[in-house]
Structure formats: C-alpha cells, structure tokens
C-alpha cells in the first residue's frame, strides 16, 4: 500500500521545526540578511534542538533519526529562510556525512560529537575556481612527505568554511598521476582550521544566501598528518559522488521549502492587498497564479519524498535525486518570480520575504550540480545517451 502521510514522529519533527522557523527565525533573519551576517544565535539554537545530529546515531552525539527527517527540517526552515536552511544542509550533508560515512572510528569519535551538537562546523572542499561542475578535473594536489600530506591548490564557493565555529574542511585532492585508464587518483583529506598554509579568503559578495557563510580557500604547502586521510587513498571520487547524490535530495527539500514559502507569503498578501475596490485574491488571474505555485511545490515535494524513500531503503537514487533536484529548483525559481509579481512593487523591496526568496532561488539551479548536469544524469540513467 502506498501512503504518503507522515508518521507521528515525522509529523512532530516537522511541526517543531516549523514553529522554530516561524517564531525564532522569521522575526530576525531579515536583519542578518541585510547585514550579510552569519546568524550564530540561530545556529546555536538549531544545535540545541539536535538538528545537526538528526540522521546520525546517538553513540556519536546524534539524534538517531534518518535522512528523511533531515530533509523535513530543511523544508520547514527554507519556507522562512534559505540562508539558515543551507547552513544546516551543508553542515550535515556536506560536512558531517562524509566523515560519518567514510571516517575511521577514531575520526568519528574525534569529530562527530561537536559537529552533531552544532558547536562546530566543517566545510566540504570540492569545487575549484576552474572546475565548476567538472569535479573530476580537480587540480588541488596532495603528496606524502615524512608522514604528512602536503596540500597545494584552491577551492571555491565553500559553505561554512570561514565562521568562528568552523573546525576545518574536508578537501578533495589528486594524490597521484593518472592511472592506466586516464583517471586521476583523488582522495579526501581533513584539514583542521588554523593549519599553517591553509588560508580562508574574505567572504564573497553574493546575490543571495546573504546570511550564510561562503569563501574561497587556498592551500600553500599545507601540511596535515597522514592519518587525516578520509576513507582510504583513491576513494575521494566515489565518496563525493555519493555525497552529491544524497545532497541533491536535501537541496530538493530546501527548494520545496522556498517554493512553499512563496505560496505562504502570497496567500497572506492577497487576502489583505486591495486593488480597484477588492482584495486581489478575488481576481481569478491571481487565483490561478497561486494555484500553479501550489501545484509546483506539491509535485516537487513528491519527487524528493520518493528519492528519500529509495535512499532509506538502500536503493540507487542517482536518477531520482537528479529529478527531484531539477523539479524543485525549477519550482523554487518559478514560484519566486510569480510571488514577486503578485507583490508588485513591494516584491522588489528587501523588507518583504519574497524579495529575499527571489534572490535566493537562482542558486538552486546551479549548486549541487546545475540543471543541465541533472538533465545529463537523467538522460544517462534512462539510456538516452546512445
């Protein structure tokens, strides 16, 4: 029997995060956003709520939940603000998850408790200035010298990499020349913050996600212990492919939250705003536009629910994750555009959430693999590439 209703446990979690987002995030996030300031108090509250530890076992300081619970939390946060949501998404999906999936027992014991508590953050250093979606074109290198990895190179657009509570980054690097099949050996290495030779550039000036933390990173003969290798030499490529597949489900949940948040804001606005003697919600043109927005959010939600379900059952999700990410990012962008139009001139003002939503939506069609990459993956998975 197919049943898309949430269990009592999932429903309680969704309600708890929804209340937190509405009562704690919504009243203050606009000021953080305009100041381009990281919301440390909100992150601390999310840590106390256990949101950073949602999908991890209690033995490592987690909540003993699963990836779907994590996605539900992301959706509810993004209904109010995407900067807070992406801080959690990157903190868990890109920061903690690679260490949990691939780390030694010693690495997990050392890193996970503080990360699951939200006391510390870890960035995921994959993207490079000249690489973009071509993650296999990694140029950052790491060579062994006297029991240490010597890292040289740079990374771009790395979330949670320069906050006051950032404990380090997981970096992908080429650890040997091309093999017989022409592929580079790529490995993942943990680089603690403050390591000599590891430099965090000033924060980017961004179009959106202005209350989140994003930096370029540089490594100049940066030395870390050989034991900081994550998951075995040469395993980095397969590790980040899995990380990206799972991350696309999480980003899809975030996109659905933004799309639904646009509906929420419009429903409030059209009941109050009057034009030509009537509330604008009484005009069928507005009703149809909001109905289309709700349909997009609903469809995208079903897509990420499906991908998350397959993930929890241990089934392949490459196609489903790509579909969910593609549909949800389209829904977020389309709904943000329509919401801004419904709000008219007020939609162009930063004091209204829909203006922030519009600025935040575009990156969803780019990050964690562009929409073009998602279509490429879908085509490959269904055998449409010839």
């Amino acid at each position: 029997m197919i049943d898309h209703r949430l269990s009592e446990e999932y429903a309680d979690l969704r309600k708890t995060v929804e209340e937190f987002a509405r009562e704690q995030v919504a009243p203050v996030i606009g000021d953080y956003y305009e100041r381009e300031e990281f919301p440390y108090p909100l992150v601390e509250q999310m840590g106390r709520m256990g949101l950073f530890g949602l999908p991890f076992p209690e033995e490592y300081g987690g909540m003993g939940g699963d990836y779907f619970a994590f996605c539900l939390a992301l959706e509810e946060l993004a209904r109010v603000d995407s900067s807070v949501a992406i801080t959690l998404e990157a903190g868990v999906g890109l920061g903690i998850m690679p260490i949990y999936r691939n780390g030694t027992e010693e690495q997990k014991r050392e890193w996970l408790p503080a990360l699951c508590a939200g006391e510390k953050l870890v960035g995921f250093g994959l993207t490079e200035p000249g690489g973009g979606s071509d993650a296999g074109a990694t140029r950052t290198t790491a060579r062994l010298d006297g029991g240490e990895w010597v890292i040289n190179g740079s990374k771009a657009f790395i979330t949670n990499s320069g906050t006051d509570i950032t404990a380090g980054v997981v970096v992908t690097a080429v650890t040997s020349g091309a093999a017989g099949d022409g592929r580079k050996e790529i490995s993942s290495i943990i680089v603690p913050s403050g390591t000599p030779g590891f430099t965090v550039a000033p924060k980017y000036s961004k179009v959106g996600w202005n209350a989140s933390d994003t930096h370029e990173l540089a490594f100049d003969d940066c030395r870390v212990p050989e034991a900081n290798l994550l998951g075995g030499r040469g395993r980095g490529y397969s590790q980040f492919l899995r990380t990206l597949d799972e991350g696309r489900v999480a980003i899809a949940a975030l996109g659905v939250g933004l799309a639904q948040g646009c509906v929420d804001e419009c429903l409030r606005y059209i009941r109050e705003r009057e034009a030509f003697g009537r509330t604008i919600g009484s005009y069928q043109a507005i009703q149809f536009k909001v109905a289309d927005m709700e349909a997009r959010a609903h469809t995208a939600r079903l897509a990420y629910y499906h991908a998350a379900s397959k993930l929890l059952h241990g089934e392949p999700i490459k196609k489903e994750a790509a579909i969910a990410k593609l549909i949800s990012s389209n829904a977020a962008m389309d709904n943000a555009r329509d919401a801004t139009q419904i709000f008219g001139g007020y939609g162009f003002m930063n004091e209204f959430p829909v203006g922030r939503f519009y600025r935040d939506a575009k990156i969803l069609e780019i990050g964690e693999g562009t929409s073009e990459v998602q279509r490429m993956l879908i085509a490959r998975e269904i055998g449409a590439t010839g």
Side-chain angles (χ1 to χ4, degrees):
M1 178 179 177
I2 298 175
D3 188 350
H4 288 97
R5 290 174 296 182
L6 296 179
S7 68
E8 182 177 355
E9 185 177 3
Y10 286 139
D12 287 345
L13 170 67
R14 189 207 64 76
K15 185 174 187 296
T16 297
V17 180
E18 184 270 333
E19 290 176 351
F20 166 72
R22 185 183 69 249
E23 297 173 4
Q24 304 298 322
V25 178
V28 300
I29 195 59
D31 289 338
Y32 283 107
Y33 197 92
E34 289 308 306
R35 296 195 305 267
E36 299 185 3
E37 181 180 330
F38 190 76
Y40 289 102
L42 296 178
V43 172
E44 183 181 355
Q45 286 179 272
M46 290 194 292
R48 290 200 301 266
M49 292 170 65
L51 299 188
F52 285 94
L54 268 177
F56 303 108
E58 294 179 8
E59 63 180 303
Y60 298 119
M63 297 294 288
D66 56 34
Y67 207 85
F68 181 56
F70 168 52
C71 288
L72 288 175
L74 290 175
E75 180 184 344
E76 291 306 315
L77 288 173
R79 285 179 73 165
V80 169
D81 179 71
S82 291
S83 293
V84 172
I86 194 58
T87 298
L88 178 64
E89 192 280 329
V92 174
L94 301 181
I96 308 175
M97 193 61 73
I99 298 175
Y100 171 67
R101 295 275 193 216
N102 309 302
T104 64
E105 189 64 25
E106 183 179 354
Q107 287 170 334
K108 287 188 278 191
R109 296 289 179 188
E110 176 185 356
W111 288 90
L112 294 190
L115 295 176
C116 288
E119 297 169 356
K120 298 292 183 180
L121 298 171
V122 165
F124 182 61
L126 171 63
T127 304
E128 298 192 355
S133 295
D134 186 7
T138 299
R139 294 183 178 180
T140 297
T141 62
R143 61 179 176 84
L144 279 174
D145 179 52
E148 294 181 317
W149 291 106
V150 183
I151 307 171
N152 285 279
S154 61
K155 300 292 180 178
F157 315 129
I158 309 305
T159 305
N160 293 343
S161 59
T163 73
D164 293 344
I165 58 173
T166 297
V169 293
V170 174
V171 176
T172 56
V174 178
T175 47
S176 78
D181 59 2
R183 294 185 180 181
K184 301 173 182 176
E185 178 188 89
I186 298 177
S187 305
S188 298
I189 302 170
I190 303 173
V191 181
S193 297
T195 301
F198 171 28
T199 303
V200 179
K203 65 182 181 181
Y204 290 102
S205 175
K206 298 177 293 186
V207 171
W209 286 359
N210 284 349
S212 72
D213 178 80
T214 319
H215 298 264
E216 185 170 350
L217 312 177
F219 304 89
D220 183 12
D221 286 339
C222 175
R223 288 177 171 267
V224 299
E226 184 176 357
N228 284 26
L229 182 70
L230 187 63
R233 183 166 177 165
R235 299 297 300 166
Y237 192 80
S238 60
Q239 290 170 12
F240 71 64
L241 286 181
R242 178 174 183 176
T243 298
L244 291 177
D245 283 342
E246 294 181 354
R248 285 166 186 145
V249 183
I251 288 293
L254 192 156
V256 169
L258 191 155
Q260 192 66 59
C262 289
V263 177
D264 297 341
E265 293 299 323
C266 285
L267 287 176
R268 282 191 283 269
Y269 186 71
I270 67 175
R271 292 165 183 156
E272 300 172 356
R273 177 76 161 93
E274 292 188 0
F276 305 105
R278 293 190 290 169
T279 58
I280 62 173
S282 65
Y283 295 103
Q284 196 173 64
I286 298 294
Q287 296 169 11
F288 282 8
K289 193 178 288 288
V290 177
D292 285 342
M293 293 167 63
E294 175 68 15
R296 291 186 198 115
H298 177 78
T299 303
R301 182 177 296 107
L302 294 179
Y304 101 69
Y305 274 26
H306 180 222
S309 176
K310 295 197 70 172
L311 173 61
L312 295 188
H313 285 88
E315 301 173 20
I317 62 165
K318 189 170 293 293
K319 181 186 73 173
E320 290 76 13
I323 290 173
K325 202 270 185 181
L326 178 64
I327 290 177
S328 69
S329 59
N330 287 343
M333 193 70 229
D334 290 343
N335 278 17
R337 185 189 308 110
D338 283 351
T340 303
Q341 191 71 17
I342 287 173
F343 271 68
Y346 292 113
F348 201 63
M349 301 296 113
N350 285 326
E351 64 184 284
F352 287 86
V354 294
R356 189 169 73 243
F357 292 169
Y358 189 63
R359 294 166 66 179
D360 291 339
K362 182 57 190 174
I363 189 60
L364 298 175
E365 298 182 313
I366 299 172
E368 297 270 0
T370 64
S371 295
E372 290 75 17
V373 166
Q374 306 314 312
R375 293 183 176 97
M376 179 185 72
L377 292 172
I378 296 165
R380 184 183 298 163
E381 288 296 304
I382 64 175
T385 58

